[in-house]
Structure formats: C-alpha cells, structure tokens
Amino acid sequence: MVQILDSTLREGEQTPGVYFSPDKKLYIAQMLDQIGVDIIEVGNPAVDREIALAIQQIAHAGLKAKIGAHSLCTIDNVQQALDCGVEFLGVFFSVSQQRLETDYNICLNQAIDKIVEVISYAKLQQPNLLVRYTLEDTVRSPLENVIDAASAAVKAGANIISIADTTGYATPFYTSRSISFYVQTLKTELESRGFYPQIEVHCHNDKGLALANVLDAYRAGANIIDVAIMGLGERAGIVDLAELLINLIDMGEAEKQWQLNHLRDLYNFISEHSHIPIPPHQPIIGKNAFTHYAGVHVKAIGKDERLYQSLNPEILGCKSSLALGIQSGYAAMEMALKNIGREDIIFDKHLVAEILQRVKEIAKTGVSIDIDQELPSIVDSCYTRKSKK
Ligand code: HCA
Ligand code: CU
C-alpha cells in the first residue's frame, strides 16, 4: 500500500502570498487526517515562531497521521524540529555538482559528512524518529553522487530516501530522466549494499508532468508520494492531492482507505484562506468537474451518466449536474425544468422554445445561468409574457 505525504502546510505555504495561521493549520491537519493521508509535513520551525507553534500543536493533537517537520541539514535546525515533538523529520541537502560547486562550495565527501553528522545526531536524540533524507534536485545530480549520499544517509539511520524533482525536470518514458529510473536504480543499488529504506518521491509541476511522474514512480515501486492540496507549492507547485488519490484508485489502490467525501470541503477551505480560486475546470474538485453542458452530452447523460463520465461523482460525495447556455438543446431544457419542479410546462413546446431562446440570449452576454437561482425567474418572465399575448 502506497503512503501519501501531504505537504500543503510546508511546500504549499511556499506559494507566494499563502499563509495559514496555527489554528487554520490545525484544522487543515485534522481534515487531512480524516481523509486518511499517512504523513503531514507541517513546516520548518526555524522559518517563524508561529510555524514552530503550529508544528507543536499538530504534533500533540492525537492525529493518526505521522506529523513531520522540515529541516535544513544543520544540527540547530534539527534540534528545533525535535523540540516541537515530531515523529517524522525531513532533512534535505543537494548533491548536484552545480549546487556543491556554485552554492555550497564543498566537495561531495564534505557534503556526505554533513548529511551523516546531522542524521546521526537526530537519531541519537530520538532513536524511534522517522528520518527522511531528500536528495534535493536528485534528477539533475550525478547518479554516483545520489547513490553515495543515499547509502551514507541510510547507514547513518535515515529510514526514507526521497527522490526530489525540485525543478520539474523529469519526464516519463525518457529513461535516464524518468522518476521510475531513479526509483528502480536507487532500490537496486541500495539493496545490493544491504540497505532497504522506503523510497519517497517529490515532483514539481513546472512542465505539467508532476502527476505523470509520480504515477510512473508508483508503478516502479515508490513507497511514499508527496502532494499538496490544489497542487500548491513553489513556482508551478507539486502534485495535487485529489488528482493523485483518484489516479491511485484507478491503478488498483483500495478506495476505502481514503475518505474522499471530505475533499471538497477541505479544498474550499484552502481556496478561501489561500485566496486562490479553484478553476471551474479543475479535475475532480472544480465546479464543472461533473457538469454537462452541450446538447448531445446532456441528452446522452439523461439516459446514462457514464456515457460522458468515467469517474463516479458519488465517491466524492457529489452529483453530476447540468449547465445551461448557448450549447443547450431541448433535452437540457426539459431536464432543467424538471430539476426546478416545473415539469408542468414541458408539454408546452412553444413556451419551452421561448425559454431556451431567452437562455441563449443571456448566455451570449457571457454569463453562466444557474439552474436553481436563475432559471425560475426566466421561466416566470416567459410565462407571463406568453399569457399576456
Ligand atoms: C524546498 C525544496 C524541496 C524539498 C523537498 C524535500 C524540493 O523547497 O526546500 O525536502 O523533500 O522540491 O526539493 O521542496
Ligand atoms: Cu519541493
């Protein structure tokens, strides 16, 4: 069974302009716990006192999910994270040649010494701590560096090795640049050295391939996948939680391990408090994700929804719906009239045609027509006009 790590409260808060107060963070963590994610990465306590407070509160909230903090590869930062009472610690340090030379100004061996020192320290302080070592920018780092650093980290006590596509560089089907290649190679290389860590994947969406890349990693045997609500994160963000869960179910994961019916409320909460609207055509969660519009579609779904739906909205606790506008035909009009309890006028074909005409006129002004809110008054005005004739 694959595990889900939600990083909305860490990576997600790296979206410019996004900040959740400790109270909101606690609520979000509780909702994520109800949905059934396995690990909640809350943030780095060194960034701000309020973030440290939120980590402490969530770590002591009695949630089923493991609560984690993010940390730079320094003893001080690790100590701050441990002081928050977490059971999961994520330490990251890049071993890409460019980063070592241009930013850190150290050689690979010095980098490995640092990684080993910090991980050993964390494990010594808290032996049952789950430690993840992330090779930041894994896919643009020389494979030898990745294998050496990962082996040393596991030897020092790391339980999880995370492959990070920090810049959204990876591509499925492109062997040496695919996340599956890294998952397989790392597993094989580490196993040949007698190491069996869990393998995590963290993929950014710079080219729109984050979801494809993590599914590729899943097929290759990745144990933990990172996500954020609405795919929030640095630049183009990371993998979206809802999209990942739906695809994992499609690929054979058991649906009952997640309470998908809580997703919509959580997404609305995040959208409201991040001030980032959910696009109407957002998969799974968007307002139009299960809305049918064009005449041919509506006519067909009137007979069987599955003709234009491969997902069942009921698993998300919602129903499919209709939209009215310039694309609508008689079938949609009839269904919409039934929805608002006006089947009494369906027999009057002239009146229905008039209502449809009015709907199309309104739609041409570029507004959408809400069936429950607006259709009744359109019907009334057409009805009154007709009776006056
Ligand atoms: C960052 C970079 C990171 C780290 C991932 C991790 C990435 O913002 O610190 O620590 O697992 O994409 O590499 O998010
Ligand atoms: Cu990231």
Side-chain angles (χ1 to χ4, degrees), residues 209-265:
L209 288 174
L211 177 63
N213 283 327
V214 298
L215 293 177
D216 184 35
Y218 170 73
R219 275 215 324 205
N223 310 99
I224 306 173
I225 302 178
D226 291 9
V227 293
I229 298 160
M230 288 170 66
L232 294 178
E234 290 270 349
R235 307 180 311 282
I238 61 167
V239 177
D240 172 65
L241 168 67
E243 289 180 23
L244 179 70
L245 296 187
I246 289 289
N247 278 283
L248 288 177
I249 292 167
D250 232 24
M251 290 170 85
E253 285 287 325
E255 184 188 314
K256 63 175 186 327
Q257 58 187 310
W258 299 302
Q259 302 300 313
L260 303 178
N261 53 333
H262 295 304
L263 281 172
R264 290 197 152 214
D265 285 347

Side-chain angles (χ1 to χ4, degrees), residues 124-275:
L124 194 67
Q125 304 302 305
Q126 203 174 309
N128 57 359
L129 181 73
L130 264 183
V131 175
R132 175 191 71 203
Y133 165 57
T134 301
L135 299 127
E136 203 186 5
D137 212 357
T138 318
V139 298
R140 294 192 308 167
S141 307
L143 198 52
E144 319 79 76
N145 292 15
V146 168
I147 295 165
D148 287 353
S151 306
V154 180
K155 204 164 167 216
N159 310 79
I160 303 163
I161 295 295
S162 186
I163 298 166
D165 184 14
T166 307
T167 66
Y169 171 76
T171 306
F173 318 115
Y174 197 140
T175 312
S176 60
R177 257 167 67 178
S178 71
I179 302 288
S180 53
F181 168 76
Y182 278 85
V183 172
Q184 277 156 359
T185 311
L186 252 187
K187 277 204 165 191
T188 315
E189 290 291 335
L190 291 174
E191 281 173 18
S192 74
R193 290 164 174 75
F195 300 132
Y196 300 88
Q198 291 204 297
I199 302 291
E200 181 169 328
V201 288
H202 177 95
C203 292
H204 275 264
N205 207 26
D206 299 68
K207 287 187 299 197
L209 288 174
L211 177 63
N213 283 327
V214 298
L215 293 177
D216 184 35
Y218 170 73
R219 275 215 324 205
N223 310 99
I224 306 173
I225 302 178
D226 291 9
V227 293
I229 298 160
M230 288 170 66
L232 294 178
E234 290 270 349
R235 307 180 311 282
I238 61 167
V239 177
D240 172 65
L241 168 67
E243 289 180 23
L244 179 70
L245 296 187
I246 289 289
N247 278 283
L248 288 177
I249 292 167
D250 232 24
M251 290 170 85
E253 285 287 325
E255 184 188 314
K256 63 175 186 327
Q257 58 187 310
W258 299 302
Q259 302 300 313
L260 303 178
N261 53 333
H262 295 304
L263 281 172
R264 290 197 152 214
D265 285 347
L266 180 55
Y267 271 67
N268 289 334
F269 185 89
I270 295 288
S271 170
E272 187 186 340
H273 297 285
S274 63
H275 314 291

